[in-house]
């Protein structure tokens, strides 16, 4: 079945690291994505990881994938107030024409 | 250039009106998508076009009619909508059906 789960809220202090977690159920996923959505805006692709990778680092962002446990995480180093937004993880379904299944989104609040 | 452009940004329409949402990309992507997003919820897939042909319709009511005039453009024609159709409508494109998708800023639709 298709199900992607995330915790709904995360609050951190400016300068700390943020870790947003996601679990998914479909082992046939090809790509797993992290999108950022600021209020009133569209979705910004932050990063993605192919399902045969364990880790991907891109500047302040680190994505970890545990395929055995179907667990994906996004770490944001040195979190800034501008990082406050909703973060969605999503999986791309191999046999469903590129359909993205999104988690519920984690609202990240960064306090100065 | 990873830009997907949607117009208009905001639209208010009556239940008897006919209107269209437009989406444009010039990245040479061959897959284009319409998603619907209600407040505080993740996006939900409506339609997928692949090589200008409709490949997925997620059982969307016929009052929503997609059109792909060419490989760069995607329209969503709206007719006889209901107030519950009010939402953010997001367009996305990807190089292929299982590659990373880039989203536009969305059209905020209000049906009165």
């Amino acid at each position: 079945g298709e199900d992607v789960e995330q915790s709904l809220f995360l609050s951190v202090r400016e300068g700390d690291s943020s870790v947003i977690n996601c679990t998914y159920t479909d082992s046939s996923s090809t790509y797993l994505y992290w999108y950022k959505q600021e209020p009133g805006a569209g979705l910004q692709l932050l990063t993605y990881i192919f399902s045969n990778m364990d880790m991907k680092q891109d500047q302040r962002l680190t994505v970890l994938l545990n395929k055995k446990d179907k667990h994906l995480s996004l770490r944001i180093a040195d979190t800034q107030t501008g990082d406050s937004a909703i973060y969605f993880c999503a999986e791309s379904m191999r046999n469903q024409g590129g359909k993205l299944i999104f988690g519920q989104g984690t609202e990240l609040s960064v306090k100065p | 250039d990873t830009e997907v452009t949607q117009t208009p940004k905001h639209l208010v329409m009556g239940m008897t009106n006919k209107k269209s949402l437009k989406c444009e990309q010039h990245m040479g992507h061959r897959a284009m998508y319409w998603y619907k997003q209600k407040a505080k919820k993740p996006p939900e897939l409506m339609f997928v076009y692949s090589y200008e042909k409709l490949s997925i319709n997620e059982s969307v009511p016929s009052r929503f009619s997609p059109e792909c005039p060419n490989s760069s453009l995607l329209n969503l024609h709206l007719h006889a909508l209901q107030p519950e159709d009010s939402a953010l409508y997001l367009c996305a494109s990807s190089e292929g059906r299982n590659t990373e998708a880039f989203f536009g800023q969305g059209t905020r639709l209000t049906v009165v």
Side-chain angles (χ1 to χ4, degrees), chain A residues 30-31 33 35 37 40-43 45 48 86 88 92-100 102-104 107, chain B residues 33 35 37 40-45 48 55-56 58 88 90 96-106 108:
Chain A
T30 49
Y31 287 95
Y33 301 92
Y35 285 90
Q37 187 173 36
L43 273 69
L45 177 63
Y48 63 92
I86 297 178
F88 291 99
S92 173
M93 313 301 290
R94 179 190 292 273
N95 298 320
Q96 295 193 36
K99 177 179 178 177
L100 289 176
F102 288 87
Q104 290 299 308
E107 184 173 349
Chain B
Y33 312 80
Y35 284 82
Q37 186 181 26
K40 302 290 188 184
K41 295 292 185 184
E44 294 180 338
L45 182 68
V48 179
S55 61
I56 295 178
E58 290 282 299
L88 181 67
L90 293 161
R97 290 189 297 175
N98 285 306
T99 59
E100 63 270 31
F102 296 92
F103 282 78
Q105 290 298 302
R108 176 77 57 191

Side-chain angles (χ1 to χ4, degrees), chain B residues 5-41:
Chain B
T5 304
Q6 290 187 243
T7 55
K9 287 187 170 38
H10 301 273
L11 178 62
V12 179
M13 61 184 290
M15 289 188 283
T16 58
N17 292 161
K18 284 186 181 180
K19 296 286 184 184
S20 297
L21 309 185
K22 297 187 183 301
C23 175
E24 191 168 0
Q25 57 87 13
H26 295 288
M27 295 178 275
H29 288 174
R30 304 316 298 260
M32 296 186 76
Y33 312 80
W34 281 114
Y35 284 82
K36 174 182 177 180
Q37 186 181 26
K38 300 285 270 185
K40 302 290 188 184
K41 295 292 185 184

Side-chain angles (χ1 to χ4, degrees), chain B residues 40-72:
Chain B
K40 302 290 188 184
K41 295 292 185 184
E44 294 180 338
L45 182 68
M46 299 174 74
F47 302 105
V48 179
Y49 271 83
S50 178
Y51 289 87
E52 300 161 48
K53 289 191 179 356
L54 183 66
S55 61
I56 295 178
N57 176 342
E58 290 282 299
S59 302
V60 179
S62 59
R63 57 185 185 270
F64 295 90
S65 175
E67 179 198 18
C68 190
N70 60 55
S71 60
S72 299

